[in-house]
Amino acid sequence: MLLGLPLSLFLFSSLSEVFIEVDNVLYDDPGISSQIIKNIHAFCSSSNSFNLTAKQAFELHDRFGSTVHGLNLSTAESQTFYDSVFSNLDLSTLASSPSSSSSPSGYSHNNNKHEHNAILPFLTFPSPPGPRISLASNSPLPHVNNILQHLNLPPSLFHKILTPSLSNNFTTKSSPSFFPNTHTKEFAALIDDSQTNLNFVKKHHPNTFKTFHAPRGPKSLLESLLTIYNLTSPSFEFNSTRYLQSKNQHDEISINRTVFSSLLSLLKGGGGDGKELVIADLGAGLLPMLHRLKRSGAFDNKTVVYHAYEPNVELEEGIKIAIRDHDHHHHHHHHHHRGLQVVLHAQDFKDDLATVRSADLIVGCCFADLFEPRTLLNLLRPTESENNKTTLVYFPLTYMNSTSVIGVGEESRAENIGFDYYNRGLETQHNQHTDGRKLLEALQDSGEVISSGGSNFVVGPNSSYFYECLFDFFGRTGGVEMLRAGLNGGSWLEALRGGEKSILIKNVDVLGRLRGGDTPTPTPTVSDTPTVSVQFTAPREIKLVQSPSTSLTKLEYNQVEIKSIASLISSGTELKMYRGDFEQGQRVDSSIEGMGGELSYPFNYGYSLVGRVVRVNEENKEAKKEFLGKVVFAFANHASSVVQDLEGVQVVPEGVGVEDAVFLPAVETALSLVMDGKVILGEDVGVVGCGMIGLLVCRILRRGGHRVVAYDLNEKRSERARQLGCELGGGGGGGRGGDNLDCAIEVSGCGGGLQKAIDIVGDHGRVVVGSLYGGRVELELGLGFHRSGKSLKVSQVSFIPRDLSGRWSKKRRFALCWKLVRELGKEGEGLLGGGIVTRRTKVFGLGDVVDCYEGLDKGEELGCLLSYE
């Protein structure tokens, strides 16, 4: 049982392994396929071989599933065939990710990017309960490995890789012996783009294989995996028009009447006969807002120009039908109803901002949560500041980060846990901003909030199609996020369906005004509440200290005040500080602004804080423009608010979440260690110590395709490294393949770990020392070490090594770190997933914070996230 839910459901109960084709399934690149086909035809038509035409070669492929099998080649000829066809292929196009859709939409839950990264949660989900994931290709192993390298998918992510080779006499999927025998009570599955190969497998393994056709590359692959893991129903087919028709019925009964009445009063009071009203509908869908406004009399005695923006071309015909149902007079894209003119724009509103900004009313139904609130409002602001122009904005049905089962008791609470992952997936997979309160705050800063109120959906089984669409969204988003965390999302969905429960989705309707002019300066909340900070008073003793509010501090020209949102405690250097493993009077880190003080009790510590800038020096106009109101990272102590020099502050880039941004120093340290190791392609690397930094080092190295052997005495940490694709070395001696490594990166924090790092590298190998030991360390450096040519390098993240400084600067490294923070936060289990942060707590009571440090000290935690909101 998991969260009170059964684990063995649907295909999980019997499916032991899933085999995935590589070419045209893991990727979708017609150019590579064209190269392979061209090379096959060249081989088949050469006078020294078979003198076949292209048509004849195609016929062989269709008949036998692979041309090489149809040619009936000898072993030597097969080797020549593969060498001729698959050598010198240009795979460079695989390195660039496909572009996302031109515009987000309010029904984009099922439009996730169908690229190879989308399958990572399935690769990292443990087996059992999930099936093992393997590759099965008719292409040779070197080609498969090249593809994986270009897709940044380490081969170790897959249980096995089956390909034609000399060892199996170049057998392909058309042969009964290609797949290993499965147990009689287990099933395997094959996902393949070739129906011929699928037919062969069904013929040879009728009782042990399930087959899934994947004609559309990664998109089909993802659909197959979602079905296999019981996250979506194979019988369900999403249709944009039908979905919106069903959802609009709920919109109609859910929209807040009070807020809408306020909008009507403003529109009806805006002028009489001859007054033109220009409206821009940003995500028009099937025009429900147009019809609602028209029915309510908002357009009476007015000439109305209604600009409807809808980039989804699938809806164009449905929109025209919706207009014809309400208006018998129409001509091409301009439709008239008395004084109403509807202009359809089959484009993203951002491509026509001049028209949007000139509107009197901007509408976005189920839309505002798809953007960072301040970014959206800045896009929409009118530019006619000299005329004091303001624009009405109306955002009904803005999601409020809350979906739940309507019910009480333990059963409902267990079922609602999955919605936490659903909300996380909306943010990580779809870049949605699901806290409607931030929209209200941003609108208040940009103009005024006129009215707001709840507009909740209650969706039950009687809402047949809309209900099924929601479950499809839950599976693709929440179910996949649960896989990232090692939980069975399929079981959650099955329990959710049981009893045909109703779903409550909380929304808010927002009506307001935007001021004209340049991008507004936010009006942050400056509080006189005392500042609470974490203070180290003695070894293994801390307390929460209250001090006068930072809002009372006079800011120097280069200082800002930051209201904290979150900070990170790691199990590395900070744990040494907690234990007292440092020299009294030693400076913290003079290379980082604000961290140059001496270490002596009592002292405050911490260097990973994210918050919002609420105040700058009034004379510093540049700082006001660049930092005020922005979410920033600071190398600052754990405190509810801080005053920080600008040199130690960085604006968090777009697309990086707060809880990922706190990892910036940890990622910088891990990257610095890898750079100091000078690890080159093909080298094997040992990582000694699988704490937060060690696991990040593992992730960076695995992204580079390196074989990594991880060492840690803590079984939980070792298991986490294994899940990341690392081999495990023994805690006390060389593990499987653990000796004779090219490089070892030591981040264990203990002398035994340094000795292990020295021992596991081969002669002339390199050891990078990343630990702060806090005292003397004993090492065995006998004759063997003396003659080994091994080198030890102490790594220090505070500066760029001299041999790299010609090309690298701190600024360039930070830019790469932010890129890694963004990418690591969105792939696999994210930065917070899988146990790197094992505890979250709010800084409300001393006991909570003490528990964090004690858990780190005992090895029970890897990292702790402190929340100040």
Side-chain angles (χ1 to χ4, degrees), residues 299-425:
F299 301 162
D300 292 352
N301 301 317
K302 286 184 174 64
T303 299
V304 179
V305 180
Y306 196 97
H307 294 277
Y309 293 88
E310 182 48 67
N312 187 346
V313 295
E314 297 177 8
L315 296 176
E316 185 171 2
E317 190 59 34
I319 294 173
K320 293 177 181 178
I321 293 173
I323 291 176
R324 286 200 295 269
D325 288 343
H326 290 78
D327 189 343
H328 298 294
H329 305 285
H330 59 90
H331 177 69
H332 194 49
H333 277 186
H334 292 71
H335 307 269
H336 299 273
H337 180 81
R338 297 187 179 91
L340 172 63
Q341 180 185 20
V342 180
V343 184
L344 300 184
H345 300 266
Q347 65 184 127
D348 190 322
F349 79 92
K350 296 194 296 294
D351 298 329
D352 190 25
L353 284 178
T355 301
V356 172
R357 288 170 174 165
S358 66
D360 302 293
L361 168 65
I362 297 174
V363 176
C365 183
C366 297
F367 190 82
D369 48 71
L370 303 175
F371 293 83
E372 194 281 319
R374 295 182 188 277
T375 300
L376 174 62
L377 297 182
N378 287 337
L379 284 172
L380 303 179
R381 285 170 59 80
T383 55
E384 301 175 26
S385 57
E386 66 276 13
N387 295 327
N388 296 317
K389 176 177 172 58
T390 61
T391 300
L392 284 175
V393 290
Y394 177 48
F395 297 119
L397 303 170
T398 300
Y399 186 50
M400 283 292 287
N401 199 36
S402 176
T403 302
S404 60
V405 173
I406 298 178
V408 295
E410 291 297 326
E411 181 182 5
S412 293
R413 278 197 287 271
E415 290 162 351
N416 285 332
I417 289 174
F419 290 118
D420 294 337
Y421 291 94
Y422 171 64
N423 290 324
R424 182 189 299 179

Side-chain angles (χ1 to χ4, degrees), residues 675-784:
M675 294 174 75
D676 280 337
K678 294 181 171 57
V679 182
I680 64 175
L681 187 65
E683 286 194 319
D684 299 331
V685 187
V687 177
V688 182
C690 297
M692 182 184 296
I693 302 301
L695 290 176
L696 288 170
V697 169
C698 290
R699 290 188 68 172
I700 291 173
L701 289 169
R702 294 296 295 143
R703 283 170 62 87
H706 294 282
R707 172 174 167 261
V708 180
V709 184
Y711 300 80
D712 200 296
L713 296 174
N714 186 303
E715 291 184 3
K716 290 184 178 179
R717 297 183 180 188
S718 296
E719 175 58 22
R720 180 68 191 108
R722 187 194 67 77
Q723 292 173 359
L724 292 174
C726 301
E727 298 177 18
L728 298 185
R736 182 171 65 89
D739 294 331
N740 200 33
L741 300 174
D742 300 290
C743 177
I745 296 176
E746 188 280 316
V747 281
S748 68
C750 65
L754 178 56
Q755 184 68 62
K756 167 62 70 176
I758 294 171
D759 293 343
I760 62 176
V761 297
D763 288 350
H764 307 287
R766 308 177 304 282
V767 177
V768 179
V769 184
S771 291
L772 170 66
Y773 301 109
R776 297 173 60 88
V777 171
E778 292 187 5
L779 299 173
E780 296 181 9
L781 305 177
L783 183 62

Side-chain angles (χ1 to χ4, degrees), residues 2-3 7 120-130 229 231 417-418 420-422 424-425 428-429 477-490 492 699 719-720 723-724 825-838 840:
L2 177 66
L3 303 177
L7 276 175
L120 282 173
F122 302 95
L123 299 179
T124 56
F125 185 69
S127 58
Y229 281 75
L231 299 181
I417 289 174
D420 294 337
Y421 291 94
Y422 171 64
R424 182 189 299 179
T428 59
Q429 298 177 36
T477 305
V480 169
E481 285 300 310
M482 292 183 76
L483 291 185
R484 294 181 196 273
L487 303 177
N488 191 337
W492 167 62
R699 290 188 68 172
E719 175 58 22
R720 180 68 191 108
Q723 292 173 359
L724 292 174
K826 293 183 178 180
E827 72 177 29
E829 297 176 354
L831 281 167
L832 292 172
I836 291 183
V837 166
T838 50
R840 292 179 174 87

